[in-house]
């Protein structure tokens, strides 16, 4: 949860910087990203900024606002479903991730690849789609592949 609160804080700071500065920067992209992490803050800032920016009703930001108001937009939350000394397994958005403390050996990498996992350099973790997650297998990684972790 700390990652999301840090991200929200950074996004709000960038939005406020764009609003207060004399720079010709537009906070629309940061505001749109904020909608995925903190819906209530997004709605408040959108309503504060609308008189100044007057986004068109068919724009992406306006559509996000409408989905937020109706409750259709879901926030991205990091939900840990397994954790031990060697790795953490969690879901975030529409993906599942396994983040190892130390880089695993080649044999474990091959085992993950054969089960549909791939390296996600953005998250620095292995990732896959939610429908491919086998939580029972994930819980046994530390014992089954102990010599490769």
């Amino acid at each position: 949860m700390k990652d999301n609160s840090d991200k929200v804080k950074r996004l709000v700071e960038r939005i406020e910087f764009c609003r207060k500065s004399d720079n010709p920067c537009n906070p629309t992209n940061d505001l749109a990203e904020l909608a995925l992490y903190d819906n209530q803050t997004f709605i408040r800032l959108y309503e504060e900024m609308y008189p100044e920016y007057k986004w068109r009703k068919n724009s992406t930001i306006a559509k996000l606002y409408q989905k937020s108001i109706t409750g259709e937009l879901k926030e991205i939350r990091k939900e840990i479903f397994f954790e031990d000394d060697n790795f953490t397994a969690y879901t975030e958005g529409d993906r599942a991730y396994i983040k190892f403390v130390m880089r695993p050996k080649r044999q474990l990498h091959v085992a993950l690849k054969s089960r549909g996992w791939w390296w996600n350099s953005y998250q620095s973790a292995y990732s896959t789609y939610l429908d491919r997650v086998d939580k029972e297998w994930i819980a046994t990684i530390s014992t089954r592949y102990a010599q490769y972790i």
Side-chain angles (χ1 to χ4, degrees), residues 7 25 29 34 38 49 61 67 74 87 99 104 111 116 140 146:
K7 183 131 184 129
C25 65
N29 290 337
L34 180 64
D38 189 351
M49 295 166 62
I61 193 81
K67 286 183 178 180
K74 292 186 179 181
F87 68 93
K99 188 169 196 153
T140 64

Side-chain angles (χ1 to χ4, degrees), residues 46-127:
Y46 181 91
E47 290 171 350
E48 284 177 17
M49 295 166 62
Y50 184 77
E52 182 181 348
Y53 290 93
K54 294 190 178 13
W55 292 289
R56 295 175 186 256
K57 69 178 181 179
N58 212 17
S59 66
T60 303
I61 193 81
K63 290 177 183 176
L64 282 172
Y65 176 72
Q66 289 302 319
K67 286 183 178 180
S68 294
I69 293 294
T70 60
E72 294 176 42
L73 188 67
K74 292 186 179 181
E75 295 177 356
I76 296 175
R77 298 255 183 242
K78 182 177 179 177
E79 297 175 20
I80 297 173
F81 61 86
F82 184 82
E83 187 170 25
D84 69 4
D85 295 338
N86 299 316
F87 68 93
T88 303
Y90 61 94
T91 59
E92 190 172 46
D94 61 344
R95 300 277 195 276
Y97 300 95
I98 298 177
K99 188 169 196 153
F100 289 93
V101 175
M102 304 225 7
R103 184 177 179 196
K105 292 188 177 159
R106 180 87 180 137
Q107 291 87 339
L108 182 52
H109 173 77
V110 170
L112 288 163
K113 291 284 277 183
S114 70
R115 291 190 163 263
W117 293 81
W118 61 87
W119 181 250
N120 183 323
S121 59
Y122 182 70
Q123 292 281 335
S124 297
Y126 288 91
S127 66

